[in-house]
Amino acid sequence: MKKLDDYQKYLPILSKAKLFEGIPLEHYPQIFNFLQVSILSFEKDELIQHLGEPLLYSGIVLDGTVEGSFINENYSKINMNHFERGRSFAEALACVQTPYSPIQLKALTNCTIMLINLKGIISGSSCPCSYQLNLTTNMLKILASQNVFSNLKLRIANQKSLRDRILIYLHSLAPDSEGYLHIPFTQTALAEFLGVNRSALSRELGRMQDENLIEVNDKKMKLLL
């Protein structure tokens, strides 16, 4: 881990971050001071957040990919999600300031992250600029989105059929202009996300292609049903 000082080159990414929606760039220095942000770089496979340690900060990925995961009751790793450039993570846990993190965060590639202290938003501390309401509203939207995502994970976990797990996940993705769904995981990571064996997932995807239910093109899929 290495601490960086300059955030200027990341402004194009930060300006699109959901937390800062509606806030002019000229107010970012005050906002960043209020949120006690820090920019850190991590090497590939370095742990950003350890299981069981306090989780006090949310983050925005400025470069690279971060994996969030947890350990199930069988001590197997379950891939929770991948966070790529511009994505934020751990807002709910950071709001709670949990002393014992149920998740771990790992750098899947060399990556740069802005860590954010959300305590000021939650405690109602006064921000030295006029955009505190934007921060609070944006945070509520982010937490609502996380709740929707958690419900999706619960729906997937409750399916007995592997095919149903796959279809529920695919239907949760927005297609591009050509109808393709972009999968943000490798097949191994997708298997972990769905809570299934990688070989079983590969076989089922093959059967679904043979039955003309889906079209697979590398990390893109198209629903044909």
Side-chain angles (χ1 to χ4, degrees):
M1 179 179 67
K2 181 180 179 182
K3 190 168 184 178
L4 306 177
D5 296 322
D6 181 27
Y7 66 83
Q8 296 291 331
K9 68 178 182 178
Y10 299 112
L11 284 178
I13 298 168
L14 292 168
S15 65
K16 296 177 183 178
K18 293 181 179 179
L19 182 60
F20 305 129
E21 189 174 294
I23 300 175
L25 290 177
E26 60 265 27
H27 289 276
Y28 279 21
Q30 291 173 301
I31 293 291
F32 291 168
N33 185 60
F34 174 66
L35 297 174
Q36 301 174 23
V37 306
S38 57
I39 298 178
L40 304 174
S41 66
F42 295 86
E43 296 186 356
K44 180 182 178 181
D45 294 328
E46 189 175 356
L47 282 177
I48 299 165
Q49 172 68 45
H50 292 258
L51 283 167
E53 292 188 352
L55 195 158
L56 307 177
Y57 300 94
S58 173
I60 297 174
V61 181
L62 303 178
D63 198 18
T65 304
V66 172
E67 178 188 74
S69 63
F70 63 93
I71 305 299
N72 68 9
E73 62 276 8
N74 297 318
Y75 301 100
S76 298
K77 188 187 79 170
I78 301 296
N79 172 22
M80 184 180 65
N81 208 350
H82 284 183
F83 307 97
E84 298 179 326
R85 181 182 297 178
R87 293 281 306 279
S88 59
F89 56 84
E91 289 91 348
L93 291 170
C95 285
V96 175
Q97 298 272 291
T98 179
Y100 188 92
S101 175
I103 67 169
Q104 73 173 18
L105 296 163
K106 184 178 79 170
L108 284 188
T109 64
N110 292 343
C111 61
T112 305
I113 296 168
M114 172 178 276
L115 290 183
I116 303 169
N117 190 338
L118 302 177
K119 191 174 181 180
I121 299 177
I122 301 305
S123 66
S125 300
S126 179
C127 180
C129 75
S130 57
Y131 287 92
Q132 186 163 356
L133 180 59
N134 294 68
L135 284 174
T136 303
T137 302
N138 293 340
M139 180 54 59
L140 285 173
K141 291 178 180 178
I142 290 169
L143 294 176
S145 296
Q146 288 187 351
N147 186 53
V148 171
F149 181 76
S150 296
N151 286 334
L152 170 66
K153 288 283 289 184
L154 184 61
R155 283 184 62 205
I156 289 172
N158 284 335
Q159 302 306 310
K160 294 181 180 179
S161 162
L162 172 52
R163 181 167 297 189
D164 286 342
R165 292 189 180 203
I166 294 170
L167 289 174
I168 287 174
Y169 173 66
L170 293 179
H171 278 294
S172 74
L173 302 176
D176 64 17
S177 59
E178 298 180 339
Y180 282 103
L181 308 169
H182 293 258
I183 313 300
F185 304 122
T186 63
Q187 193 164 113
T188 298
L190 179 59
E192 292 174 357
F193 179 84
L194 297 175
V196 300
N197 179 274
R198 184 189 183 284
S199 298
L201 174 62
S202 181
R203 287 194 299 270
E204 186 60 31
L205 290 174
R207 282 192 287 264
M208 292 173 73
Q209 289 184 84
D210 293 341
E211 296 172 26
N212 292 318
L213 298 177
I214 60 171
E215 176 186 327
V216 179
N217 182 1
D218 193 22
K219 292 178 71 174
K220 298 189 297 183
M221 297 187 192
K222 182 184 288 188
L223 289 166
L224 303 177
L225 40 149

